[in-house]
Amino acid sequence: MYAMASSHSSSLVPHSNSSKTFYRKGLDTSHVGLVRSLPDVCPKVPTGDSNSLRDEPSVVADQHKWTIYHSKVNLPAALNDPRLAKRESDFFTKTWGQDFVEIAVLPSPYLPPITKEHFQSYVQQTSLREKSHEKWKTVCPPKDDYNRTAFPHSHVNKSTADLEQVPKIFMKPDFALDDSLTFNAVLPWSHFSGAGGKGSRDTASSKLLQEKLSHYLDIVEVNIAHQISLRSEAFFHAMTSQHELQDYLRKTSQAVKMLRDKISQIDRVMCEGSLRILRQTMNRNNCIKVYNKLKLMATVHQTQPTVQLLLSTSEYVGALDLIATTQEVLQQELQGIHSFRHLGSQLCELEKLIDKMIIAEFTSYARSDLSRPLEEDCQVIEEERLVSLVFGLLKQRKMDFFVIYADEMMTTAKSIIKQCVISIVSQIDEIDSEHVTKLADQMRLMNFSQWLDLLQNIFLTFTIFLRRVKATLSVIRSVVLMVLDKNQRIREMEVMGAQKGLGREGQVDGDVAYLTHEGLFISDAFSEGELPHAATNTNFQRNASPSSSEPSGSDSLSDPECTTDSSSSRDHTLPSVTPGGVEIIMTEDIKLTDLELGKIANNIQELLYNASDICHDRCVKFLSARAKDGFLEKLNSSEFLSLSRSVEVFVQNTEVICGRRSMSLRGALQGQANKFVNRFHDERKTKLSLLLDNERWKQADVPAEFQDLVDSITNGKIILPEKKFGCAEERKATDFLTVDGQKYAVVGTVLILIRIILEYCSCVDDIPSITTDMLTRLCELLKYFNSRSCQLVLGAGALQVVGLKTITTKNLALSSRCLQLIVHYIPVIRAHFEARMQPKQYSMLRQFDHITKDYNEHIAEICAKLVTIMDGLFDRLLSKYEVKAPVPSMCFRNICKQMAKMHEAIHELLPEEQTQALFLRINTSCRLHLKSQLCHLNVTNDGGPQHGMVAADIAFYTGNVLALKGLKDLDLNMGEIWEQKR
């Protein structure tokens, strides 16, 4: 059997059991045949799992695929056959032809010559690894070597060959005889026939099969025994360990049973009672929750009747709070309740209805508040109603409700003026309302005093109207600011509460926390057993409606445990008091941000400013309607002053009430003031022009009223005196105008000009807004007087305009003195305007400097003109002067005569110092002409007869000049007429 099995061994036998299997070449199985009488009943084709067999190539499985194991002889083996005596030199030529010859292979030009040095770095890197590998080979020899040393080589080969005789089908892990294919392969019954002639053959085949299977069994048993003998020590060690493990498991089982008994006793003694108490507590809390839920449903059921009751008493805030709370309860606590499925939509519709009701009632309140009789009482009517409406509007986020109040203000402002006009017009008998139907036309029939009374009445009415509007808007704004302050305080309280509640996060779900390690201990369950109940009540109290808004007979409110009113109000409302003393309750449902509330407060404040602007705009239209026919432009200064003062008082009152200055009325008054200034200036300029055109430049008497006018200007303050009727006849006119102790001879035009100047200054006092315009117009008037007087006197324009025969020295002196009077008052006028101007407007005062310069130049030109007149006279007389008898000569007699006339003309008009200065210049001119004539006559101061006659003439001239009034101290210095000797 062993020999037969060895004859069927595989051609490839593994050399060892290592992972890298080396295969040896065996006999070719194609030449080994089987017994012809018995086919191969155990084919060697592996049909099971390939992983269960050895990891080696199978000739049976790979018989149709060429592998390296099919190769018998390769070319190097043939060439290096050691059995050949000598190598056949003609091997290649015999096979491949004569052309194949052996030639030397030339080295490649692309490959460098390789020497041992090229492998030096590799050898150095691997030398340590090689030494370590050799060391470990000696310590732990390879598995193949161990197998070869442990088992004789022949024995291993024999065992392997014996095992290979056993067909592979018996080695399959899924070997089962109940499989028909496997059964037929192992027991080929097809070879056994039931015919009588072949019985001996079948018997022999069955015996042969039995012997083969017995042989396979013997081989397997021998190998198993061999393997057991090899591993006997490990086998017996495992058995011993198994017994010890069984002992350990038995002891462990006993310990576990004892532990379980103890745990069962502990659970029965210590835990079951406590857990039963906890479960009962949870059941009790659940029952309380269900009871509270039912009470909450009963409360919600009464929502609609309660809302209707609140609306009947105008409690819009309470109704909205109740609706919001009910909606929150429906969405959170009672979500999914079938009986309340339509309540949410009904409450939404009810809320929309309340929105319309609040807006309608606020409009009605604003109309009734603004249209009630305008009396001195400016208190807010029905302040509680207003506060309630404002809270309702804020709660519903109606942030533009003040627009309604603004529209009502505009309507009321229009009606105020109409009512005032009707009331005043009806009291005037001169106005026929039947023929003049329009109010504007009736108003234009009033005189100034009547119209001013009407305007002041309008101003007074608007002042009361603004105070009333301010009181109402103050209440509204205080409510908004109160809500804003409350939101900030609630936010601060939430922050503080969040900081205090950091240690209570484990109590969020108390029912579950009892059974977890994160919750309370069992010992704390009894002391904290009411916690879920308290949380339930708090939740219920937050969502329930106020009890004051529900019917008194409700069962939900009669229960002492249902504290929905006091708790909710105490925890979530804040009592406040408005400035009017009305106590209100602010709920936390006004969901407006601080930015929105601040914007509403600013808009309400802006609405007060708009009220002031509306009143001013209506007054501007009233002024414009009266000014269409030029009525305001025809007013005199006192009337316009009254109008300006009335407007200024009203503007200041509105500024005090509203806190902001409105410019429309002041602007309109400024426009009328500009027209007034233009007319005022045009009238006075025309008047001055007419006076100058008719002025004959003669000294005029000064009436007492003009002297009083000048005397009223004391210490630089310009104040027009009041007219004294009946006293003008008792006081006589004077020849001169006395100003600060100096006498001024003036013409009548200058007296009128002084009064006009003072009227300009007084008008500035009355109407400060026209200061700059008045300054410009006054400067223009002064320039006009200077230029026009220069044309008439110096330019001799008066000869044609008035018909004067000539411009005398007296006219010139009088003109100069008038100009000096104006120059004297220019600093006073400048100081007067400077005191009433802003610092940024001081640059306009430079016009007075230019005017003063122009006037002084004009005065100097007049003085030069007087000197020029005398200079021409001296030139004409002294050019004919001869030094001869008689003495004094006729020439000097004429000169002294003309000097006396000049002095007589000007000494009463000009002050003494100006007269002396003028005669000094005249004397200088005379001296120069005399000196020139003496040089021409070649007369010197040599003491001769001619010198004596000239000295006599000079003495006569000096005596006459010094004899004139006010010139006795004059230094004539006549010694300079003589040439200095060299």
Side-chain angles (χ1 to χ4, degrees):
M1 292 291 290
Y2 182 80
M4 184 177 62
S6 63
S7 63
H8 293 282
S9 62
S10 176
S11 61
L12 296 177
V13 181
H15 182 65
S16 67
N17 293 330
S18 63
S19 61
K20 294 182 179 180
T21 307
F22 295 91
Y23 296 94
R24 293 183 179 179
K25 181 181 175 183
L27 298 176
D28 189 358
T29 56
S30 60
H31 299 287
V32 179
L34 297 175
V35 179
R36 298 182 61 88
S37 60
L38 181 64
D40 192 0
V41 297
C42 297
K44 298 181 181 180
V45 179
T47 58
D49 189 3
S50 62
N51 294 330
S52 63
L53 302 178
R54 292 182 173 226
D55 231 356
E56 61 183 12
S58 175
V59 178
V60 178
D62 301 332
Q63 57 182 342
H64 302 295
K65 178 181 178 181
W66 191 91
T67 63
I68 59 172
Y69 301 104
H70 288 83
S71 62
K72 297 296 190 282
V73 178
N74 55 12
L75 184 60
L79 294 177
N80 297 322
D81 190 357
R83 293 174 296 178
L84 295 178
K86 62 178 180 178
R87 183 173 299 173
E88 296 180 3
S89 59
D90 58 348
F91 178 81
F92 295 103
T93 56
K94 181 174 63 177
T95 306
W96 294 331
Q98 296 296 326
D99 295 334
F100 184 86
V101 293
E102 294 183 3
I103 60 176
V105 180
L106 297 176
S108 174
Y110 302 103
L111 297 177
I114 303 302
T115 61
K116 188 175 181 181
E117 284 73 11
H118 288 87
F119 300 95
Q120 191 65 31
S121 61
Y122 174 75
V123 171
Q124 292 178 357
Q125 294 176 1
T126 58
S127 59
L128 294 177
R129 298 179 183 178
E130 183 182 5
K131 292 179 180 179
S132 177
H133 176 67
E134 294 297 334
K135 177 182 178 182
W136 285 108
K137 280 176 63 176
T138 57
V139 174
C140 182
K143 190 174 181 181
D144 294 343
D145 296 343
Y146 175 79
N147 291 336
R148 284 194 295 269
T149 56
F151 305 101
H153 178 67
S154 59
H155 183 73
V156 172
N157 290 339
K158 182 178 180 181
S159 300
T160 303
D162 291 342
L163 284 175
E164 288 181 355
Q165 292 180 12
V166 180
K168 298 297 182 181
I169 193 172
F170 293 106
M171 304 298 180
K172 291 171 59 177
D174 57 348
F175 177 79
L177 289 177
D178 54 358
D179 186 6
S180 59
L181 296 178
T182 305
F183 185 80
N184 293 329
V186 176
L187 300 175
W189 297 106
S190 59
H191 293 275
F192 300 99
S193 175
K198 298 182 179 180
S200 58
R201 185 177 179 180
D202 294 338
T203 302
S205 298
S206 61
K207 290 181 179 181
L208 180 60
L209 178 60
Q210 183 177 1
E211 291 178 358
K212 185 182 294 187
L213 293 177
S214 300
H215 178 65
Y216 294 159
L217 180 60
D218 294 339
I219 292 173
V220 171
E221 289 179 350
V222 169
N223 279 274
I224 290 175
H226 177 66
Q227 292 296 330
I228 291 174
S229 63
L230 293 177
R231 295 171 176 80
S232 59
E233 184 178 355
F235 175 76
F236 290 112
H237 178 71
M239 293 298 295
T240 305
S241 300
Q242 183 69 20
H243 292 304
E244 294 179 356
L245 181 61
Q246 290 293 335
D247 295 336
Y248 290 151
L249 288 176
R250 184 172 58 257
K251 294 178 181 179
T252 303
S253 176
Q254 293 176 357
V256 169
K257 181 180 180 181
M258 185 182 300
L259 179 61
R260 286 181 176 179
D261 293 339
K262 292 181 179 179
I263 291 176
S264 177
Q265 293 177 1
I266 293 173
D267 180 63
R268 184 172 58 258
V269 173
M270 300 182 64
C271 297
E272 287 184 0
S274 301
L275 291 177
R276 187 183 304 108
I277 294 173
L278 291 177
R279 279 193 292 270
Q280 291 176 354
T281 302
M282 293 177 65
N283 290 335
R284 179 179 179 277
N285 293 335
N286 291 335
C287 293
I288 292 174
K289 289 180 180 179
V290 173
Y291 175 71
N292 291 333
K293 187 77 70 174
L294 292 175
K295 290 199 300 182
L296 184 60
M297 291 176 63
T299 304
V300 170
H301 184 66
Q302 296 295 326
T303 297
Q304 288 180 314
T306 305
V307 170
Q308 294 175 0
L309 179 63
L310 291 173
L311 293 180
S312 64
T313 58
S314 299
E315 290 290 340
Y316 298 106
V317 178
L320 292 173
D321 286 340
L322 181 57
I323 291 175
T325 305
T326 306
Q327 290 281 23
E328 183 180 358
V329 170
L330 290 175
Q331 294 176 1
Q332 297 180 0
E333 304 293 337
L334 302 179
Q335 187 176 8
I337 303 299
H338 186 70
S339 59
F340 292 145
R341 64 186 183 279
H342 300 305
L343 184 59
S345 59
Q346 293 172 359
L347 293 177
C348 290
E349 295 297 328
L350 192 59
E351 189 173 2
K352 294 179 182 178
L353 177 61
I354 293 175
D355 287 348
K356 296 179 181 179
M357 293 176 63
I358 292 176
I359 294 175
E361 187 162 355
F362 182 78
T363 304
S364 175
Y365 176 85
R367 186 178 296 113
S368 62
D369 177 54
L370 295 174
S371 62
R372 59 193 170 104
L374 292 171
E375 301 173 354
E376 292 298 332
D377 184 14
C378 298
Q379 296 297 326
V380 180
I381 59 170
E382 298 181 2
E383 186 173 351
E384 301 88 345
R385 178 185 174 194
L386 175 61
V387 171
S388 176
L389 289 173
V390 173
F391 269 106
L393 292 169
L394 293 177
K395 182 175 179 60
Q396 294 304 102
R397 299 183 62 84
K398 302 296 181 182
M399 294 183 287
D400 56 347
F401 63 91
F402 49 85
V403 178
I404 301 173
Y405 199 84
D407 296 338
E408 294 298 328
M409 282 195 311
M410 178 63 73
T411 305
T412 306
K414 291 180 180 179
S415 63
I416 284 175
I417 292 183
K418 185 176 180 180
Q419 292 173 1
C420 291
V421 173
I422 293 174
S423 62
I424 297 297
V425 168
S426 62
Q427 299 175 4
I428 300 176
D429 298 333
E430 292 81 3
I431 299 177
D432 188 1
S433 58
E434 295 181 358
H435 294 83
V436 183
T437 58
K438 293 184 178 180
L439 288 177
D441 296 336
Q442 295 175 2
M443 179 188 64
R444 293 189 183 97
L445 295 176
M446 299 179 181
N447 56 33
F448 176 75
S449 60
Q450 294 172 343
W451 180 82
L452 185 61
D453 292 339
L454 174 60
L455 181 62
Q456 290 176 349
N457 187 20
I458 292 174
F459 287 162
L460 178 61
T461 307
F462 273 137
T463 302
I464 299 173
F465 171 75
L466 288 177
R467 288 174 180 169
R468 180 175 298 173
V469 169
K470 181 180 181 181
T472 303
L473 293 181
S474 297
V475 173
I476 297 175
R477 191 168 185 268
S478 64
V479 172
V480 176
L481 295 179
M482 199 179 302
V483 174
L484 177 61
D485 181 65
K486 178 253 184 182
N487 286 348
Q488 294 176 353
R489 281 187 287 174
I490 286 180
R491 190 159 50 250
E492 293 175 357
M493 292 172 62
E494 289 177 352
V495 172
M496 296 174 61
Q499 294 176 354
K500 293 180 179 178
L502 291 177
R504 304 180 181 178
E505 295 179 356
Q507 300 180 4
V508 176
D509 193 356
D511 296 343
V512 180
Y514 290 124
L515 305 178
T516 62
H517 65 282
E518 297 177 355
L520 302 174
F521 292 103
I522 296 176
S523 59
D524 299 330
F526 301 100
S527 60
E528 300 292 338
E530 296 298 324
L531 180 62
H533 175 65
T536 304
N537 285 340
T538 303
N539 190 20
F540 172 70
Q541 292 164 7
R542 182 179 65 254
N543 294 301
S545 59
S547 62
S548 60
S549 303
E550 297 183 1
S552 59
S554 176
D555 295 335
S556 60
L557 299 178
S558 60
D559 196 322
E561 295 183 4
C562 184
T563 58
T564 59
D565 177 30
S566 59
S567 300
S568 178
S569 300
R570 183 174 58 256
D571 296 338
H572 300 285
T573 62
L574 181 65
S576 301
V577 179
T578 62
V582 181
E583 185 174 351
I584 59 175
I585 300 298
M586 295 191 301
T587 64
E588 66 174 355
D589 294 331
I590 300 180
K591 302 301 182 181
L592 291 175
T593 63
D594 293 352
L595 181 61
E596 291 173 338
L597 291 171
K599 186 177 180 181
I600 293 174
N602 293 334
N603 289 333
I604 293 172
Q605 184 64 36
E606 192 67 27
L607 187 59
L608 182 60
Y609 300 152
N610 294 339
S612 176
D613 294 339
I614 289 172
C615 295
H616 282 249
D617 293 342
R618 302 313 302 177
C619 293
V620 168
K621 291 185 178 181
F622 180 78
L623 288 176
S624 302
R626 191 65 182 92
K628 283 185 178 179
D629 54 354
F631 173 76
L632 298 180
E633 299 176 14
K634 299 176 183 178
L635 300 178
N636 55 37
S637 59
S638 60
E639 291 175 342
F640 196 86
L641 172 62
S642 301
L643 173 61
S644 177
R645 287 178 176 174
S646 299
V647 171
E648 188 66 25
V649 169
F650 175 68
V651 170
Q652 291 178 359
N653 290 336
T654 57
E655 184 177 350
V656 171
I657 294 172
C658 301
R660 190 178 70 174
R661 178 178 299 179
S662 296
M663 302 304 298
S664 58
L665 185 57
R666 280 182 173 172
L669 183 64
Q670 183 65 37
Q672 295 298 329
N674 293 335
K675 294 179 182 179
F676 170 78
V677 168
N678 292 333
R679 185 191 57 79
F680 182 88
H681 176 67
D682 292 341
E683 288 179 355
R684 281 148 183 78
K685 186 176 181 180
T686 303
K687 182 177 181 180
L688 180 62
S689 178
L690 293 175
L691 290 173
L692 287 173
D693 290 342
N694 295 309
E695 180 61 59
R696 301 189 65 85
W697 297 101
K698 292 183 179 181
Q699 184 178 0
D701 293 335
V702 179
E705 61 174 331
F706 285 97
Q707 185 61 52
D708 294 339
L709 183 67
V710 172
D711 293 340
S712 65
I713 307 174
T714 56
N715 298 327
K717 294 182 180 180
I718 300 176
I719 302 175
L720 286 176
E722 296 181 359
K723 293 182 179 181
K724 298 179 180 180
F725 299 99
C727 299
E729 298 179 356
E730 299 177 0
R731 302 174 62 188
K732 295 181 179 180
T734 58
D735 296 334
F736 297 94
L737 183 67
T738 304
V739 179
D740 294 339
Q742 292 188 11
K743 294 183 178 180
Y744 286 87
V746 294
V747 296
T749 302
V750 173
L751 292 175
I752 302 300
L753 178 60
I754 292 296
R755 184 172 186 85
I756 290 173
I757 292 173
L758 296 183
E759 287 178 352
Y760 274 83
C761 296
S762 178
C763 194
V764 168
D765 286 337
D766 297 335
I767 312 173
S769 61
I770 61 174
T771 300
T772 55
D773 291 338
M774 278 296 184
L775 185 146
T776 304
R777 302 299 195 281
L778 180 58
C779 291
E780 181 183 348
L781 190 70
L782 293 175
K783 291 178 182 179
Y784 175 77
F785 174 78
N786 185 38
S787 61
R788 186 61 177 160
S789 62
C790 183
Q791 293 173 2
L792 293 173
V793 180
L794 280 178
L799 300 179
Q800 292 80 19
V801 176
V802 187
L804 295 179
K805 294 181 181 180
T806 182
I807 302 298
T808 63
T809 55
K810 193 169 186 176
N811 299 136
L812 291 172
L814 191 60
S815 174
S816 174
R817 195 57 176 162
C818 291
L819 294 174
Q820 292 174 21
L821 178 62
I822 302 301
V823 171
H824 174 78
Y825 278 113
I826 285 179
V828 180
I829 298 170
R830 177 189 178 124
H832 181 81
F833 277 90
E834 183 177 1
R836 288 153 182 81
M837 294 174 63
Q838 299 294 330
K840 61 182 180 181
Q841 299 174 338
Y842 286 167
S843 59
M844 299 181 65
L845 298 174
R846 296 177 183 175
Q847 299 182 54
F848 290 110
D849 298 335
H850 298 311
I851 292 172
T852 303
K853 181 181 178 183
D854 294 340
Y855 271 70
N856 289 329
E857 289 177 355
H858 189 187
I859 294 170
E861 289 177 2
I862 292 175
C863 184
K865 183 66 176 178
L866 293 174
V867 175
T868 302
I869 292 173
M870 296 303 295
D871 185 75
L873 178 65
F874 293 150
D875 183 48
R876 186 175 68 254
L877 293 176
L878 290 176
S879 64
K880 298 178 182 181
Y881 174 66
E882 294 180 357
V883 183
K884 61 181 181 179
V887 177
S889 64
M890 187 58 65
C891 177
F892 272 93
R893 289 178 184 273
N894 292 331
I895 289 174
C896 290
K897 182 179 179 180
Q898 294 298 328
M899 294 279 282
K901 288 183 178 181
M902 170 69 74
H903 181 269
E904 183 182 359
I906 68 173
H907 85 278
E908 292 183 354
L909 302 179
L910 298 178
E912 185 176 343
E913 61 273 9
Q914 291 186 18
T915 303
Q916 292 179 1
L918 178 62
F919 271 87
L920 279 176
R921 294 181 63 183
I922 293 173
N923 178 67
T924 301
S925 176
C926 179
R927 190 171 61 238
L928 291 174
H929 283 284
L930 179 59
K931 182 178 181 179
S932 175
Q933 184 65 21
L934 291 177
C935 289
H936 177 70
L937 296 176
N938 196 18
V939 177
T940 59
N941 56 345
D942 54 358
Q946 289 184 337
H947 175 263
M949 287 187 287
V950 171
D953 287 337
I954 292 173
F956 175 76
Y957 167 78
T958 304
N960 279 276
V961 172
L962 293 178
L964 298 175
K965 185 178 180 179
L967 301 181
K968 62 180 179 179
D969 297 331
L970 198 66
D971 186 10
L972 299 179
N973 196 13
M974 296 301 293
E976 295 181 358
I977 64 173
W978 306 105
E979 288 287 341
Q980 298 291 333
K981 293 182 179 181
R982 299 179 180 178

